[in-house]
Amino acid sequence: MAKILLEMKNITKTFPGVKALDNVNFQVEEGEIHALVGENGAGKSTLMNVLSGIYPYGTYEGDIIYEGETCRFNTIRDSEAKGIVIIHQELALVPEMSIGENMYLGNERGKKAFIDWGTTYAEADRYLKMVGLSESSKTLVREIGTGKQQLVEIAKALAKNARLLILDEPTSSLNEEDSRALLDLMLGFKKRGMTMIIISHKLNEVSYVADKITVVRDGSTIETIDNHDHNIDEDRIIRGMVGREITNRFPKRENVKIGEINMEVDHWTVHHPLYPERKVVDDVSLYVRKGEVVGIYGLMGAGRTELAMSIFGQSYGTLTGGTLKLDGKEVRLKKSPRDAIRHKIAYVTEDRKGNGLVLSQSIKINTSLANLDSLASGTVIDKDKEYQVAEEYREKLSIKTPSVEQLVGNLSGGNQQKVLLAKWMYAEPDILILDEPTRGIDVGAKYEIYCIINDLAAAGKSVIMISSELPEVLGMSDRIYIMNASKIIGEMKASEASQESIMAEILKSGRGA
């Protein structure tokens, strides 16, 4: 019988007005990969924050037993000293510092006030090799892509002598190729005896990599499923997560009415803001009609976000060529998102926490941010109307919260995404550009977001949806543009497209996986 490495017994954690964990029990065997799954707000990350000392002993009830010893962690350093290392969904790297500096930040090599840089970079290079990175540890983090940054985080964890590695949504920002490479790396670590806990909403990845799957719902453990054959039915996991069947991952569009072309981009070319010789969008042409959902798919670095942000008031890069037409008329947007909003264009960023929402402010304030003029009399905001607007969108989008005065930072990822959508819906745009609208949220919340997208299209809005998940692009779009190496390399009707045909276009373009 395998040794129990970790046991969390009767863990209860309460925030003001919310019981986030309710008598949770969780066991992990030595040398296994154990998945923790559940809807947003189910308590997965809270449980891991208790384990890692982010929520210190005394702020929760229950016991943590690690290697047979009852542990009382007061800081994250306490848990790391025992070999428990957590990698959060939001990467904690400093772009302007080298890989080696990042890996040993707060864990410096040297004596007293002096850092031994020779040892630092030599050790960093050794750990980078272990995770399959060929870059020098002296390379700046900003010079490598997101997939490689995720590997740097793992190398950083190994440098802390991790015995139990916790990965929170490790593939949420990665394309399919990089995701599979990371999962295979985890399987390689398992063969060497490392124990891992993975939190993920990508159930196909959970099935591929996990030996056991523990389902958490509404702050309670529902069940632990054995997956040693790695062929569990995803619907089996979903039933435990949401407490019901979800028979169709993508809601059907009813009475689809696609109208005239609403927005047209011709020969759009954008250069990098720091490296003007580098094109990030190269001679792109596309259009979207009223009532249409247009998907844009491409591998990491294809230029999708750069395209979206450059259309949205040139909020990224330097526009060096091309025209934008709205309802058949050419418009020249000032280099300002405000001008894009004035022309009824909205951009829902892929980074809701960093760029989309003010986490320290309420749902009410976040909802009105993009359209304050409609609430203002001179320089004074009508607070009663602001509250009414937030309440209207809370109800319309089924945002789960006791009050619109709740801080956005206290909401689950799925509810944060709904607030972000509410913010832009209240701006009353004609064109919505949605960049990774379901990133990092669970299958139930995804379905609700899909329904909102369909409702927007049914109301005659033009929707452009960027996604790294091919099934999502295929399931939600009317037409699909395929991007690679900063260019549009193909266009397909969704009804005629498949994962194979889209990947074949990318491979044909010469820069694909």
Side-chain angles (χ1 to χ4, degrees):
M1 185 175 176
K3 174 185 172 184
I4 301 296
L5 179 68
L6 169 72
E7 187 171 9
M8 301 183 75
K9 298 175 70 173
N10 309 120
I11 303 294
T12 298
K13 171 69 178 170
T14 303
F15 296 103
V18 179
K19 184 174 276 190
L21 297 173
D22 187 6
N23 205 39
V24 169
N25 291 285
F26 180 58
Q27 281 189 352
V28 179
E29 293 181 357
E30 191 171 46
E32 75 174 358
I33 298 177
H34 198 122
L36 197 57
V37 302
E39 293 188 275
N40 287 102
K44 310 178 298 296
S45 295
T46 302
L47 185 65
M48 292 300 97
N49 287 340
V50 166
L51 171 59
S52 60
I54 293 171
Y55 297 140
Y57 177 75
T59 65
Y60 62 88
E61 298 173 24
D63 294 310
I64 298 171
I65 301 167
Y66 181 69
E67 292 193 299
E69 176 188 346
T70 300
C71 297
R72 297 175 175 178
F73 302 135
N74 291 307
T75 68
I76 197 166
R77 283 183 175 272
D78 293 343
S79 61
E80 287 181 351
K82 293 284 188 180
I84 302 171
V85 182
I86 184 168
I87 300 174
H88 294 282
Q89 182 176 353
E90 286 81 22
L91 301 180
L93 300 174
V94 182
E96 299 304 322
M97 294 177 70
S98 71
I99 293 173
E101 287 174 306
N102 271 279
M103 284 177 59
Y104 288 97
L105 191 61
N107 186 30
E108 287 81 5
R109 294 295 181 259
K111 294 181 180 178
K112 296 183 179 178
F114 297 97
I115 296 175
D116 184 341
W117 290 110
T119 299
T120 297
Y121 286 120
E123 286 191 11
D125 284 331
R126 180 163 61 89
Y127 286 116
L128 291 177
K129 190 174 180 182
M130 288 175 64
V131 300
L133 269 181
S134 59
E135 272 76 9
S136 165
S137 59
K138 295 180 180 179
T139 302
L140 296 182
V141 164
R142 65 175 168 81
E143 295 175 0
I144 62 175
T146 307
K148 291 182 177 180
Q149 288 181 24
Q150 186 68 263
L151 294 178
V152 170
E153 283 280 20
I154 295 175
K156 182 178 175 181
L158 296 180
K160 295 176 180 177
N161 299 315
R163 290 201 59 227
L164 174 60
L165 184 60
I166 306 162
L167 301 103
D168 191 350
E169 298 288 352
T171 66
S172 66
S173 299
L174 305 184
N175 62 43
E176 292 183 22
E177 180 191 21
D178 287 343
S179 295
R180 181 53 64 97
L182 178 55
L183 296 174
D184 286 337
L185 182 67
M186 290 175 62
L187 292 171
F189 287 152
K190 176 190 162 186
K191 287 180 181 178
R192 296 186 215 170
M194 183 178 285
T195 308
M196 284 161 281
I197 299 170
I198 179 173
I199 299 173
S200 180
H201 290 121
K202 297 182 179 180
L203 300 186
N204 60 323
E205 295 180 358
V206 167
S207 177
Y208 176 70
V209 80
D211 301 301
K212 287 198 183 75
I213 301 162
T214 292
V215 179
V216 183
R217 187 170 76 233
D218 297 330
S220 301
T221 38
I222 302 301
E223 60 181 336
T224 295
I225 306 166
D226 196 308
N227 187 42
H228 281 295
D229 294 331
H230 297 280
N231 61 358
I232 191 165
D233 180 10
E234 290 179 27
D235 290 337
R236 167 76 177 80
I237 305 173
I238 292 170
R239 281 198 302 275
M241 286 172 57
V242 303
R244 64 186 188 279
E245 295 275 1
I246 292 184
T247 55
N248 193 335
R249 300 277 183 95
F250 304 101
K252 290 182 179 179
R253 300 266 299 281
E254 303 290 345
N255 302 316
V256 177
K257 294 179 181 178
I258 296 176
E260 299 297 316
I261 292 175
N262 196 11
M263 184 181 80
E264 193 170 3
V265 173
D266 288 315
H267 303 294
W268 199 257
T269 299
V270 179
H271 284 73
H272 194 282
L274 298 178
Y275 307 104
E277 72 283 357
R278 182 177 149 206
K279 290 181 183 178
V280 291
V281 179
D282 189 359
D283 197 34
V284 164
S285 296
L286 59 81
Y287 67 91
V288 58
R289 298 176 184 274
K290 294 177 181 179
E292 185 179 36
V293 179
V294 171
I296 299 180
Y297 179 80
L299 302 182
M300 197 66 62
R304 301 164 303 166
T305 293
E306 292 83 351
L307 171 64
M309 291 182 69
S310 64
I311 292 171
F312 185 63
Q314 298 180 49
S315 52
Y316 182 89
T318 303
L319 179 66
T320 56
T323 59
L324 173 67
K325 293 179 182 177
L326 299 176
D327 291 324
K329 295 179 182 178
E330 184 176 342
V331 296
R332 294 184 180 274
L333 299 183
K334 298 173 186 175
K335 200 169 184 180
S336 158
R338 180 182 289 273
D339 202 32
I341 295 168
R342 189 170 61 82
H343 281 85
K344 299 295 185 180
I345 301 173
Y347 171 62
V348 178
T349 175
E350 63 178 338
D351 182 8
R352 61 177 173 262
K353 291 186 177 180
N355 297 324
L357 298 167
V358 184
L359 301 183
S360 60
Q361 294 292 342
S362 67
I363 296 168
K364 177 185 72 177
I365 288 173
N366 275 274
T367 301
S368 61
L369 271 178
N371 194 13
L372 284 172
D373 288 348
S374 69
L375 299 172
S377 175
T379 59
V380 179
I381 302 294
D382 185 336
K383 295 295 184 182
D384 290 337
K385 187 176 179 183
E386 186 179 40
Y387 185 90
Q388 290 169 6
V389 166
E391 271 292 325
E392 177 188 335
Y393 280 97
R394 181 193 66 79
E395 187 174 336
K396 185 184 293 185
L397 303 188
S398 300
I399 299 169
K400 292 171 185 165
T401 177
S403 166
V404 294
E405 301 289 356
Q406 175 82 274
L407 297 184
V408 168
N410 292 338
L411 300 178
S412 68
N415 284 302
Q416 286 181 355
Q417 193 67 22
K418 289 180 185 178
V419 174
L420 184 56
L421 283 169
K423 164 186 162 181
W424 287 111
M425 288 168 67
Y426 180 55
E428 299 183 335
D430 294 328
I431 299 145
L432 286 98
I433 305 173
L434 310 178
D435 196 350
E436 303 285 4
T438 66
R439 172 174 288 170
I441 62 177
D442 62 78
V443 65
K446 280 186 177 185
Y447 190 88
E448 292 177 332
I449 298 292
Y450 297 149
C451 290
I452 294 168
I453 293 171
N454 283 353
D455 289 345
L456 290 167
K461 308 295 184 184
S462 302
V463 179
I464 296 175
M465 187 180 75
I466 298 167
S467 177
S468 297
E469 296 187 31
L470 255 179
E472 180 171 84
V473 172
L474 290 164
M476 288 299 299
S477 305
D478 298 302
R479 279 187 305 116
I480 299 167
Y481 286 108
I482 307 160
M483 280 194 80
N484 199 32
S486 305
K487 298 181 179 182
I488 295 284
I489 59 167
E491 177 189 353
M492 299 179 182
K493 290 182 179 178
S495 58
E496 298 172 358
S498 65
Q499 294 193 45
E500 292 77 14
S501 62
I502 289 173
M503 290 307 299
E505 286 291 327
I506 293 173
L507 290 168
K508 270 197 308 184
S509 73
R511 288 286 299 277

